[in-house]
Amino acid sequence: MTTALISHPDCADHVTPPGHPEQVARLAAVLNALEGMPLTRVTAPLVADDDLLRAHPQTHIDAIRAAAPTEGWRSLDADTHMSSGTLTAALRAAGGVVRAVDMVLGDEANNAFVAVRPPGHHAERETAMGFCFFGNVVIGAKHALEYHGLDRVAIVDFDVHHGNGTQDLVEDDPRILFCSTHQSPLYPGTGAAHEVGVDNVLNVPLPEGTGSKAFRDVMERLVLPRIDAFSPQLVIISAGFDAHMSDPLAGMNLTTEDFGWVTERLCDVASTHCEGRVVSSLEGGYDLTALGASAAAHVKVLEERGR
């Protein structure tokens, strides 16, 4: 088996206003960086309504559909905008994670990277925000639990911004462990260490300027042991690369090599507990050069471990 790369051209039809950091060029940078890798390339389907409803109420789904413009932009808040292609892109993004879960749990691939946009980890149960519309990784996790019958799924988020949406969607579900490292203070202002859900949330806020040594230390000392103790049957990664030192939206100082290292360590835990089953989905990363290089380092490890 190999590593699956799941994407869709529709994700480039989510067009944000000029100057917006969550731009079409982000996905192109990632896909270009992965060109030539021996990956199984798969088309992301539209997510099924049943899968959306595991994370969001019908009222939220209806509101997003109703907000979709036929031309120009519609702004849901100061950061989150819809163009005529946004709804389909968002449905592909969530559907891509579900397809990845199906492939990994169905032994069609050892692991998978879902290269899609818009991202998802800021989307709360009934609120689109922070460039996000649906909780992509949570939709995948709930699909693994409800459709495939798993008992324990771990979500690990190393995006520089706290995944407030992911936390909102899972903090009452003990079947899902959510671990997040993130810069604090920073948007969206959540993710304090005392936010623990039903003892299924581990937040590790990090100060501005945090670099490789401190990041690796908290991963080794806090995050990886917590995942190990949880003994997940599937590991899902919210792969945001905006903690890179070159990223314009934050102030952490990780290097490209750090993303390869953390991927190795998460794959080690997955190898111990769930036969290496890892699904990773793109979240943030706004310096195009750093984004492409970091995503390539991440996927290179997945590909090597997926052979």
Side-chain angles (χ1 to χ4, degrees):
M1 291 187 290
T2 59
T3 294
L5 172 62
I6 301 176
S7 191
H8 199 285
D10 284 352
C11 291
D13 292 336
H14 166 49
V15 180
T16 52
H20 195 283
E22 210 296 275
Q23 57 181 304
V24 174
R26 292 184 64 244
L27 186 56
V30 169
L31 294 175
N32 288 341
L34 303 183
E35 192 67 36
M37 285 193 187
L39 308 169
T40 300
R41 287 165 168 79
V42 178
T43 299
L46 298 169
V47 69
D49 284 352
D50 286 352
D51 284 312
L52 279 179
L53 287 166
R54 291 190 177 109
H56 300 283
Q58 188 67 55
T59 51
H60 175 73
I61 299 166
D62 290 345
I64 297 299
R65 290 186 184 277
T70 55
E71 58 183 25
W73 290 283
R74 178 161 293 164
S75 299
L76 304 188
D77 62 25
D79 301 309
T80 311
H81 312 279
M82 299 187 75
S83 68
S84 59
T86 297
L87 176 61
T88 298
L91 296 174
R92 296 276 185 202
V97 180
V98 172
R99 180 73 178 102
V101 168
D102 285 340
M103 291 189 72
V104 170
L105 294 182
D107 293 329
E108 296 179 69
N110 281 328
N111 55 46
F113 180 64
V114 188
V116 289
R117 51 183 291 279
H121 75 149
H122 292 309
E124 296 182 341
R125 196 177 307 270
E126 297 188 67
T127 306
M129 59 182 289
F131 315 160
C132 304
F133 301 89
F134 301 119
N136 301 333
V137 297
V138 176
I139 290 166
K142 297 274 191 180
H143 181 77
L145 294 165
E146 302 295 342
Y147 181 80
H148 289 279
L150 267 56
D151 299 310
R152 297 176 309 282
V153 176
I155 298 174
V156 185
D157 187 336
F158 50 70
D159 191 283
V160 79
H161 303 96
H162 179 242
N164 61 296
T166 302
Q167 181 171 305
D168 181 55
L169 292 168
V170 308
E171 62 187 353
D172 60 351
D173 190 340
R175 302 173 300 171
I176 300 175
L177 172 68
F178 176 54
C179 299
S180 174
T181 58
H182 48 273
Q183 182 179 324
S184 179
L186 191 67
Y187 180 90
T190 53
H194 65 77
E195 299 169 18
V196 297
V198 288
D199 198 29
N200 67 325
V201 173
L202 173 64
N203 283 313
V204 184
L206 299 168
E208 182 176 0
T210 295
S212 302
K213 185 178 184 300
F215 172 75
R216 296 187 185 203
D217 175 67
V218 298
M219 276 287 174
E220 293 276 18
R221 186 167 45 85
L222 299 175
V223 177
L224 295 168
R226 184 67 177 271
I227 302 167
D228 190 55
F230 185 67
S231 188
Q233 296 161 299
L234 173 68
V235 173
I236 299 181
I237 301 172
S238 268
F241 301 104
D242 42 6
H244 194 283
M245 62 174 61
S246 297
D247 200 89
L249 296 194
M252 281 178 61
N253 286 316
L254 301 193
T255 65
T256 300
E257 291 72 24
D258 290 321
F259 294 109
W261 175 85
V262 72
T263 309
E264 284 274 12
R265 299 298 288 115
L266 291 172
C267 285
D268 287 344
V269 174
S271 294
T272 298
H273 294 287
C274 51
E275 300 179 348
R277 294 188 178 108
V278 173
V279 167
S280 176
S281 185
L282 180 65
E283 299 283 2
Y286 304 100
D287 177 276
L288 298 182
T289 301
L291 171 61
S294 300
H298 176 65
V299 176
K300 183 175 185 291
V301 172
L302 292 177
E303 189 276 322
E304 290 171 348
R305 299 296 289 263
R307 293 175 190 170

